[in-house]
């Protein structure tokens, strides 16, 4: 089934939930960036979390960015997700692989690192982005996003994320975010915590073959769960283009561009977020120079 997410409320609107299947977009990221297993899990979890959080924003051009800087061998993990259901992202060192952790799972925490920060930028679409930074808890992504929501946004939340990848690629990926809204009865928070403590992660839920609606039902079913009828499609997408590359080249100025023509016979640029390579030939560079001269003249 195509990647998508669904929203729900429970307990008379005191609980908000979002759940997503993100298998295809995680696989696209894996192929584009030639990600190792552990890098696939780290970036896949981060992209899924970004999409889960971006659903709370009203405007379609609203976006959220996560920058994980944990000091681990993967280096920086950066994702950009939008309320329109698009996401893109990269890790600094995509080839890094680590042995499994003590639980026999991909060592995402070890690869991202635990000694650093998660920096979050929310742009609601009005042109005044706001940002928050929290210390990393485990580098496992879900814990760190939960910590960010609790401290920077004062919303007690549970974020479960799972990416199952084998030698054939990403087999299953997805996640779920459950938030208890301000003013909820203390009893509800206790009940919810004990229910969530029974869960061992999102991967076992997906691997059992349950659809998103079944997963939400199994977790929140006893609190008058109401699943919203709309399904939102989600996908890997990057707005970069050859045109943007040309505009960026213009900023380098005439001397630098002439140098590129002489030394390299053209220019080449790679988009960090999607790894697309753009090549600009001699004649196109010449055209950029002529445009610059025309503007000056
Ligand atoms: Zn791109």
């Amino acid at each position: 089934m195509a990647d998508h997410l669904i929203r729900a409320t429970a307990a008379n609107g005191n609980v908000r939930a979002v759940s997503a299947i993100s298998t295809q977009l995680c696989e696209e990221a894996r192929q584009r960036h030639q990600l190792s297993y552990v890098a696939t899990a780290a970036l896949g979890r981060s992209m899924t979390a970004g999409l889960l959080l971006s659903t709370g924003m009203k405007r379609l051009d609203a976006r959220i960015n996560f920058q994980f800087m944990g000091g681990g061998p993967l280096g920086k993990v950066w994702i950009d997700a939008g309320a329109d259901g698009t996401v893109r992202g990269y890790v600094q060192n995509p080839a890094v692989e680590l042995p499994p952790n003590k639980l026999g799972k991909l060592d995402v925490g070890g690869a991202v690192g635990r000694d650093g920060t998660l920096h979050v930028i929310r742009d609601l679409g009005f042109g005044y982005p706001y940002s928050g930074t929290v210390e990393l808890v485990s580098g496992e992504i879900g814990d760190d996003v939960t910590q960010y929501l609790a401290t920077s946004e004062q919303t007690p939340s549970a974020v479960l994320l799972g990416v199952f990848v084998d030698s054939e690629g990403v087999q299953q990926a997805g996640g779920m975010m459950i938030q208890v809204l301000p003013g909820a009865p203390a009893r509800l928070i206790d009940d919810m915590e004990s229910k969530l403590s029974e869960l061992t992660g999102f991967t076992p839920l997906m691997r059992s073959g349950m659809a998103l609606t079944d997963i939400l039902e199994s977790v929140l079913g006893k609190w008058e769960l109401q699943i919203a009828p709309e399904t939102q499609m989600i996908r890997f997408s990057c707005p970069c283009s050859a045109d943007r590359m040309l505009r960026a080249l213009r900023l380098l100025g005439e001397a630098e561009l002439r140098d590129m023509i002489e030394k390299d016979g053209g220019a080449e640029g790679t988009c960090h977020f999607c790894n697309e390579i753009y090549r600009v030939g001699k004649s196109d560079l010449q055209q950029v120079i002529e445009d610059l001269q025309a503007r000056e003249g």
Side-chain angles (χ1 to χ4, degrees):
M1 185 166 196
D3 291 347
H4 65 286
L5 64 80
I6 59 171
R7 304 172 184 81
T9 57
N12 292 317
N14 281 310
V15 171
R16 206 174 78 91
V18 194
S19 190
I21 294 281
S22 54
T23 309
Q24 289 165 5
L25 65 92
C26 290
E27 174 62 11
E28 181 164 349
R30 188 189 72 84
Q31 289 182 15
R32 280 183 172 275
H33 294 293
Q34 289 154 23
L35 300 171
S36 68
Y37 291 121
V38 76
T40 303
L43 188 60
R45 287 184 195 177
S46 305
M47 291 193 301
T48 306
L51 288 164
L52 292 175
L53 264 70
S54 70
T55 58
M57 303 192 285
K58 301 241 163 15
R59 285 175 59 126
L60 276 185
D61 56 350
R63 299 198 75 81
I64 189 161
N65 272 226
F66 291 155
Q67 295 167 32
F68 292 90
M69 285 164 284
L74 280 186
K76 182 155 72 174
V77 179
W78 187 335
I79 69 95
D80 169 44
D84 62 355
T86 62
V87 67
R88 57 183 183 155
Y90 70 93
V91 305
Q92 211 171 357
N93 304 309
V96 166
E97 198 66 273
L98 290 183
N101 64 19
K102 278 179 274 177
L103 301 169
K105 294 183 175 172
L106 290 171
D107 190 6
V108 174
V112 171
R114 300 166 180 93
D115 189 17
T117 55
L118 162 60
H119 184 60
V120 179
I121 304 166
R122 261 196 204 266
D123 182 346
L124 298 177
F126 299 105
Y128 301 99
Y130 66 92
S131 63
T133 302
V134 290
E135 303 273 320
L136 292 178
V137 179
S138 66
E140 293 281 338
I141 311 299
D143 298 342
D144 306 302
V145 173
T146 301
Q147 172 79 353
Y148 163 77
L149 288 167
T151 57
S152 283
E153 302 198 358
Q154 281 91 41
T155 314
S157 312
V159 180
L160 294 178
L161 303 165
V163 176
F164 180 72
V165 55
D166 64 16
S167 59
E168 311 268 285
V170 178
Q171 299 303 322
Q172 260 137 353
M176 174 167 63
M177 176 175 72
I178 297 174
Q179 300 191 302
V180 180
L181 300 181
R187 171 91 195 279
L188 175 66
I189 298 177
D190 289 348
D191 284 357
M192 197 68 65
E193 273 174 1
S194 74
K195 178 72 197 175
L196 291 171
S197 68
E198 293 169 9
L199 301 175
T200 52
F202 198 74
T203 312
L205 296 172
M206 280 188 304
R207 299 223 78 202
S208 69
M210 286 196 276
L212 288 181
T213 47
D214 301 332
I215 291 174
L216 285 178
E217 189 66 44
S218 75
V219 179
L220 296 170
K222 68 168 182 168
W223 286 285
E224 298 128 55
L225 176 69
Q226 294 198 304
I227 296 175
E230 312 84 40
T231 294
Q232 182 175 17
M233 305 315 278
I234 52 178
R235 66 195 163 94
F236 190 101
S237 170
C238 186
C240 66
S241 65
D243 208 45
R244 282 189 185 214
M245 160 96 175
L246 284 175
R247 269 183 275 160
L249 282 174
R250 221 169 275 169
L251 301 175
L252 295 176
E254 201 182 318
E256 183 87 11
L257 293 172
R258 284 200 188 286
D259 203 47
M260 283 179 162
I261 292 177
E262 271 164 40
K263 286 194 182 138
D264 309 318
E268 190 178 286
T270 306
C271 174
H272 277 309
F273 275 109
C274 68
N275 218 23
E276 196 73 42
I277 299 169
Y278 293 99
R279 290 190 183 85
V280 179
K282 238 183 203 175
S283 60
D284 282 336
L285 275 187
Q286 196 64 48
Q287 186 61 49
V288 174
I289 292 172
E290 278 167 29
D291 289 350
L292 281 174
Q293 287 170 336
R295 210 191 300 166
E296 280 161 16

